Amino acid sequence: MAVAGLALTAVVVLALLVGVHRYLWRRFVGDTTAEGSSLRRAGTVAAYLLPLLSVGALVSGRTGAPFWLQRVLAWPGYLWLAALLYLTLALLVGEVVRPILRRALARRANGAYGAHRPSAAEAPESAAVAEAVGGDASASAVLVPAVPASPVPAVPASPVPGTDTLVAVTEAPDHRPAAPTRRLFVARAVGGAAAVAGLGTVGYGTYGVLRGPRVKRITVPLAKLPRSAHGFRIAVVSDIHLGPILGSAHTRRIVDTINRTQPDLVAVVGDLVDGTVADLGPAAEPLARLSARHGSFFVTGNHEYYSGAAQWVEHVRELGLHPLENARVEIAGFDLAGVNDVAGESEGQGPDFDRALGDRDRARAAVLLAHQPVVIDEAVAHGVDLQLSGHTHGGQLWPGNLVAELANPTVAGLDRYGDTQLYVSRGAGAWGPPVRVGAPSDITVVELASRQA
């Protein structure tokens, strides 16, 4: 049954992707280019090539493809996924604008038609011409739109059959290119506007990721925190997602940003990498420069379990971070605990709250590092005062936040669940497309406040 369900899901997703790409081809290529033109051929090739690059980017890492190939596929493949989303949304808005624009152009054309009708003063001249060729003068009552005069070659006069009247006949060849039809004009206008809006959104979202995360600061009061720990600052960073796109330069930006805040403690809350230590070990090396008075701590995220979690735990330990694998340490004035990500359950290494928190003194404040917000109920049950999480990316690509809300109790920011507060960071990197729209990346400095102060 599970296999059948996955197969059905795959078929539905494939059919949806084919339909969306067909729709984009029609609006951007089929409706705007001439059959057989080079532009149409190029657009058709892109309609087949870009989705293949996206599939390649998605599967290359999971299938163990060489890292150089992953990097070649990642930029165009992942960026196209973001472009596909926002080009489609822009075209759907265009579907609303399209009939309005057509009607406006039709009204304008009709107004111009009426403005160029022959006047009453021109009617006698029309009647005289009709009479000269033996026609009915009353035919001149049928008026036609005026056409701008243009030089035309004359043909020698010839007699009209059955009369002695000579009539000069002229030919009016028009070698000017035909103006685009109203439908073609509307298709190009809407398609061009959609392309600018969609690709502009992706470009801005990419810039937001590559420039690095911004610092966000919040204050969280804890009832059990002693006065001696008032003002303790934890720099929270999650979802860095080092991989074929984001490498050592991205890590250096994050480390430099954290160090400038001069935190008391650094918490790396999972999803550090998308790849193996062999491929991405050098990209993580700048983490060794993290500086905090009480050290730097790390817990696994779901992507670590796709990338060799045991090897990454050892590697970050070598870099000077302290992994909290269902473990707890005492910090000045509170307990700091960490649990493995729920994805570790597939390897028998899932979260163990009893091991991390079961025997602690509940009179002390407790801060928990847990990658996914969904474990908040366990945190409440174990008397945690503050849980620090990531995982959601804040939705990353609007309207992805609406989907994230369906799977997470909190998508971003600070919430309260019973006596436990939950803070969810939007993360410092990006998964898949290196693009963020409506969910800017952040490093959050959480300042703990004592209510006893």
Side-chain angles (χ1 to χ4, degrees):
M1 292 295 291
V3 175
L6 289 174
L8 179 60
T9 301
V11 170
V12 171
V13 171
L14 180 61
L16 179 62
L17 287 175
V18 170
V20 170
H21 280 88
R22 174 64 182 173
Y23 171 64
L24 261 64
W25 179 90
R26 178 187 171 191
R27 287 307 192 202
F28 284 123
V29 181
D31 289 352
T32 62
T33 62
E35 290 188 17
S37 67
S38 58
L39 285 176
R40 175 165 293 202
R41 287 194 295 269
T44 302
V45 169
Y48 283 97
L49 179 61
L50 289 171
L52 290 177
L53 289 173
S54 296
V55 172
L58 288 168
V59 305
S60 60
R62 300 293 181 89
T63 57
F67 192 61
W68 66 265
L69 179 59
Q70 295 180 41
R71 297 182 70 178
V72 168
L73 295 172
W75 274 104
Y78 283 129
L79 282 177
W80 174 243
L81 291 177
L84 180 67
L85 170 62
Y86 291 108
L87 288 173
T88 302
L89 291 176
L91 281 178
L92 291 177
V93 173
E95 298 298 343
V96 178
V97 176
R98 191 182 303 270
I100 298 174
L101 184 56
R102 282 180 181 168
R103 285 196 293 269
L105 290 174
R107 285 196 298 269
R108 181 178 179 182
N110 289 337
Y113 176 88
H116 289 87
R117 287 177 182 272
S119 64
E122 297 170 325
E125 182 180 351
S126 300
V129 172
E131 184 176 357
V133 298
D136 185 358
S138 63
S140 63
V142 180
L143 303 180
V144 295
V147 178
S150 60
V152 294
V155 176
S158 61
V160 177
T163 72
D164 293 330
T165 305
L166 295 178
V167 178
V169 181
T170 61
E171 295 180 355
D174 190 353
H175 299 292
R176 293 171 300 175
T181 65
R182 188 182 307 152
R183 182 180 296 275
L184 180 60
F185 174 80
V186 170
R188 288 177 175 174
V190 173
V196 170
L199 297 180
T201 299
V202 172
Y204 183 77
T206 303
Y207 166 74
V209 171
L210 298 183
R211 75 181 177 189
R214 294 294 185 256
V215 175
K216 180 179 179 180
R217 299 177 185 272
I218 64 168
T219 300
V220 181
L222 299 181
K224 301 176 187 175
L225 190 72
R227 283 179 291 179
S228 60
H230 180 76
F232 192 97
R233 289 171 298 119
I234 303 174
V236 181
V237 59
S238 72
D239 302 281
I240 296 174
H241 284 288
L242 300 177
I245 291 180
L246 301 176
S248 58
H250 182 61
T251 314
R252 286 194 296 271
R253 283 191 294 268
I254 290 171
V255 170
D256 291 342
T257 301
I258 290 174
N259 287 346
R260 283 195 295 269
T261 68
Q262 299 181 324
D264 297 304
L265 183 147
V266 177
V268 182
V269 196
D271 278 8
L272 171 64
V273 292
D274 283 306
T276 65
V277 172
D279 290 334
L280 296 173
E285 293 294 332
L287 292 174
R289 294 193 295 105
L290 283 172
S291 177
R293 185 159 56 102
H294 291 274
S296 302
F297 295 83
F298 170 81
V299 293
T300 55
N302 53 307
H303 282 251
E304 271 72 60
Y305 292 97
Y306 309 148
S307 308
Q311 291 82 3
W312 274 111
V313 167
E314 289 307 311
H315 189 63
V316 299
R317 196 191 309 274
E318 293 170 359
L319 296 176
L321 281 73
H322 306 288
L324 290 175
E325 298 182 275
N326 298 321
R328 179 180 76 253
V329 295
E330 291 187 2
I331 306 294
F334 65 95
D335 293 334
L336 180 71
V339 291
N340 295 344
D341 186 70
V342 294
E345 293 174 350
S346 62
E347 302 178 10
Q349 299 293 328
D352 188 335
F353 283 84
D354 289 334
R355 180 178 163 191
L357 296 162
D359 60 348
R360 76 178 192 88
D361 180 3
R362 292 204 177 193
R364 289 171 56 86
V367 176
L368 173 69
L369 310 183
H371 178 63
Q372 298 196 40
V374 293
V375 300
I376 184 62
D377 291 337
E378 287 282 358
V380 172
H382 285 82
V384 169
D385 297 275
L386 173 64
Q387 175 178 319
L388 301 175
S389 298
H391 183 63
T392 67
H393 297 207
Q396 186 169 326
L397 296 171
W398 183 91
N401 58 303
L402 302 179
V403 178
E405 288 175 358
L406 300 177
N408 297 278
T410 297
V411 173
L414 185 66
D415 272 334
R416 175 177 288 277
Y417 296 85
D419 292 329
T420 302
Q421 297 181 79
L422 168 64
Y423 179 76
V424 181
S425 168
R426 292 189 178 95
W431 179 80
V435 182
R436 282 178 171 266
V437 177
S441 57
D442 67 61
I443 292 167
T444 305
V445 177
V446 177
E447 183 172 329
L448 305 181
S450 172
R451 291 180 176 173
Q452 303 172 23

